[in-house]
Amino acid sequence: MLDADFFRRWMTATALMVDREAERLTALDSPIGDADHGSNLQRGFNAVTATLEKEAPDTPGAVLTLAGRQLISTVGGASGPLYGTLLRRTGKALGDAAEVSAEQLADALRTGVDAVRTLGGAAPGDKTMIDALVPAVDALGESFAAARAAAEEGAEATVPLQARKGRASYLGERSIGHQDPGATSAALLVAALEEAAGE
Amino acid sequence: MKMLINVPETVVADALRGMAAAHPELAVDVENRVIVRRDAPVSGKVALVSGGGSGHEPLHGGFVGPGMLSAACPGEVFTSPVPDQMVRAAAAVDSGAGVLFIVKNYTGDVLNFDMAAELAEDEGIQVAKVLVNDDVAVTDSLYTAGRRGTGATLFVEKIAGAAAEEGRPLERVEAIARQVNDRSRSFGVALSACTTPAKGSPTFDLPAGELELGIGIHGEPGRERRPMMTSGEIAEAAVDAVLTDLAPRSPVLVLVNGMGATPLLELYGFNAEVQRVLGERGVAVARTLVGNYVTSLDMAGASVTLCEIDEELLGLWDAPVRTPGLRWGM
């Protein structure tokens, strides 16, 4: 079973990974976006860990809703509302249980991903974070490691796609051949799950 | 890349501190990143709130003042502001007559303003929204996030601002803003890429001897790259692109807008060519504005925006305005 502490570790691990990969995310965002994805997420997740240290919510749902709200308040751009909604809606779906199973997390995360799809209007294949999140959620029933692998594969599979959402969409065919920065950061969030579980 | 900054992290806050010092008629909240008309809320007047990424100065903070915006929310460089800023701005300027959010059509701006509108309504503030999407370079909008909001933002903010100043109700101010957007089209070109402080190098690679046609305002590349053209050829390309989508039956407002690093000498010369092409295409010009208004940091280049105007809108355009970036008649 996964408790609030696990979810705090998940957020902390994500923040560390985003810190470590910020330059790479920004480099990916440079040819097809506006070269700030790394620094924007870094600002957001640093704010998340700072808030979690201060407020220490005691249920999994509360950790994620607080983290989501913090991202919406600090990131800006499209990533703020999208990642914020992902975590907030996942947290809400977890309810106020003190501990949740991996299956419950998978179900809740699916609700969160659906909320992101509704908000951003993106479908799989549009070259967005959805391309990493959907396969990750599907594989989560198996293991955290399988989810990480699926998310990474999903992110890599965005390379040959033409972007249809977000700023990269304005490049038309010229967006082809670049890995989507949003799918790449989404894969980090999923990889951090495995790290939080100590697997 | 040399820049007149301290560190990239404080660029926006530093600019706001400097703006506050230069413009005591504005209340600048550096910490929360909200720029407000000092006399707000103005009793009985609809309030206009806009915002977007920083780096497009004077848009939007430079357009706060009597006759234009009530408040502006600057985000990080090229990153939309967060909902908290807009809610704070709306609360500061709402007199009870309602607030109009003027939003450029970029995913981040749209999402954050949508969230802000919901939160503001929860606080009992009546909110209307208008989406600016004037960029004709985006033609296949079924496969993109839709047309970008660019130069027409200035037209919408000025004309709707004048309507609000006259005391018109929210539905009417919103309708006018929508009308201005519907009648406006833009097209932009870049002669160089711009450099964001965070990245420190050009956001895309544009070789000497080439230009990018159909750019947006975030340093994102356009849709087509061509060998360098003359000012006259660029004017033909830009005006014709706009006119493929707008067939004005009345005189137009013209905005010849610099992207930040193109001097006025070139912009005025370019405007001469724009006016020539408009004349050749049989388009009458009512008013022309030339300058750096909706910029992309240090990008060289220009955009052309036309707005088909009628007597009512022209009267509102000519109405007095007093802001750091646009000022006439008072």
Side-chain angles (χ1 to χ4, degrees):
Chain A
M1 294 295 276
L2 311 166
D3 59 5
D5 203 43
F6 168 86
F7 284 85
R8 277 198 293 274
R9 287 202 306 278
W10 181 22
M11 293 298 105
T12 309
T14 306
L16 286 173
M17 281 189 176
V18 167
D19 266 337
R20 210 161 50 218
E21 300 284 329
E23 270 182 42
R24 181 170 155 249
L25 293 175
T26 290
L28 289 173
D29 193 30
S30 183
I32 60 172
D34 55 357
D36 60 5
H37 191 55
S39 46
N40 284 346
L41 277 192
Q42 208 171 9
R43 184 174 61 247
F45 276 99
N46 285 340
V48 166
T49 47
T51 305
L52 288 177
E53 270 171 36
K54 217 166 46 206
E55 296 196 23
D58 54 7
T59 65
V63 170
L64 292 191
T65 44
L66 183 62
R69 215 164 54 226
Q70 195 61 21
L71 290 179
I72 292 169
S73 296
T74 52
V75 177
S79 320
L82 292 170
Y83 272 105
T85 296
L86 175 68
L87 295 185
R88 228 168 57 85
R89 293 297 285 274
T90 303
K92 283 195 161 186
L94 287 175
D96 48 16
E99 292 188 329
V100 299
S101 67
E103 292 73 38
Q104 283 170 313
L105 171 59
D107 287 344
L109 204 52
R110 194 179 296 279
T111 308
V113 173
D114 286 344
V116 170
R117 289 179 64 166
T118 307
L119 183 65
D126 283 350
K127 201 178 180 98
T128 71
M129 60 198 283
I130 292 298
D131 291 321
L133 291 175
V134 166
V137 168
D138 288 341
L140 202 55
E142 206 177 311
S143 69
F144 288 137
R148 175 186 52 75
E152 280 167 7
E153 252 172 63
E156 280 159 27
T158 62
V159 173
L161 298 176
Q162 177 171 336
R164 283 202 284 256
K165 288 287 164 188
R167 218 166 276 168
S169 68
Y170 299 115
L171 289 174
E173 286 179 2
R174 288 201 278 173
S175 64
I176 293 171
H178 301 279
Q179 183 165 324
D180 182 61
T184 310
S185 57
L188 293 181
L189 181 75
V190 177
L193 264 179
E194 191 187 6
E195 211 158 287
E199 282 176 11
Chain B
M1 177 58 68
K2 286 188 283 188
M3 285 186 182
L4 188 57
I5 63 171
N6 293 314
V7 291
E9 291 73 26
T10 64
V11 163
V12 176
D14 291 345
L16 289 177
R17 286 191 295 118
M19 196 175 181
H23 296 286
E25 72 277 17
L26 302 177
V28 181
D29 181 343
V30 177
E31 195 192 335
N32 295 302
R33 299 194 175 184
V34 180
I35 301 158
V36 178
R37 254 176 87 156
R38 202 172 272 289
D39 60 354
V42 180
S43 173
K45 179 188 164 300
V46 168
L48 270 64
V49 173
S50 191
S54 293
H56 305 302
E57 291 70 24
L59 189 81
H60 295 272
F63 297 146
V64 175
M68 218 161 161
L69 297 178
S70 313
C73 312
E76 284 294 319
V77 173
F78 290 172
T79 300
S80 88
V82 301
D84 310 39
Q85 288 170 268
M86 298 140 192
V87 174
R88 196 177 286 267
V93 297
D94 181 34
S95 67
V99 178
L100 179 67
F101 283 169
I102 298 170
V103 187
K104 297 185 300 309
N105 190 32
Y106 288 94
T107 312
D109 291 311
V110 173
L111 296 182
N112 284 285
F113 270 101
D114 278 355
M115 293 195 160
E118 262 181 55
L119 295 170
E121 274 160 8
D122 286 351
E123 291 187 19
I125 301 171
Q126 194 190 353
V127 176
K129 281 177 291 185
V130 60
L131 199 63
V132 183
N133 58 350
D134 54 310
D135 182 7
V136 299
V138 181
T139 50
D140 55 347
S141 60
L142 279 179
Y143 302 100
T144 67
R147 285 185 167 183
R148 300 172 286 212
T150 62
T153 315
L154 180 147
F155 288 163
V156 173
E157 291 177 359
K158 169 66 186 81
I159 293 173
E165 207 70 51
E166 285 185 355
R168 302 196 201 189
L170 183 59
E171 325 67 91
R172 189 65 202 128
V173 176
E174 180 193 356
I176 287 171
R178 221 174 279 283
Q179 194 181 21
V180 173
N181 177 61
D182 290 346
R183 292 168 169 223
S184 299
R185 300 287 189 280
S186 296
F187 190 84
V189 298
L191 311 182
S192 74
C194 59
T195 300
T196 59
K199 183 159 184 270
S201 57
T203 51
F204 61 97
D205 174 45
L206 184 52
E210 290 186 60
L211 86 169
E212 189 85 33
L213 290 175
I215 52 150
I217 56 168
H218 295 93
E220 71 266 46
R223 300 182 68 245
E224 193 189 347
R225 190 167 286 189
R226 281 207 211 155
M228 193 53 201
M229 298 151 74
T230 65
S231 173
E233 289 164 345
I234 295 171
E236 280 163 21
V239 170
D240 285 341
V242 169
L243 292 180
T244 53
D245 208 74
L246 182 78
R249 287 153 302 178
S250 58
V252 294
L253 284 179
V254 180
L255 169 64
V256 169
N257 171 62
M259 304 308 297
T262 293
L264 275 175
L265 180 77
E266 292 174 40
L267 289 180
Y268 276 121
F270 180 55
N271 180 50
E273 297 298 331
V274 168
Q275 302 285 329
R276 169 185 63 79
V277 179
L278 286 170
E280 287 171 7
R281 305 292 185 263
V283 178
V285 174
R287 301 284 184 275
T288 299
L289 185 65
V290 179
N292 291 290
Y293 292 104
V294 184
T295 59
S296 296
L297 295 168
D298 61 339
M299 181 186 276
S303 61
V304 176
T305 305
L306 303 183
C307 175
E308 183 185 8
I309 202 149
D310 59 20
E311 223 163 275
E312 185 194 18
L313 297 186
L314 188 59
L316 292 168
W317 175 256
D318 286 340
V321 57
R322 197 173 73 231
T323 70
L326 201 66
R327 180 177 298 220
W328 58 66
M330 64 199 286

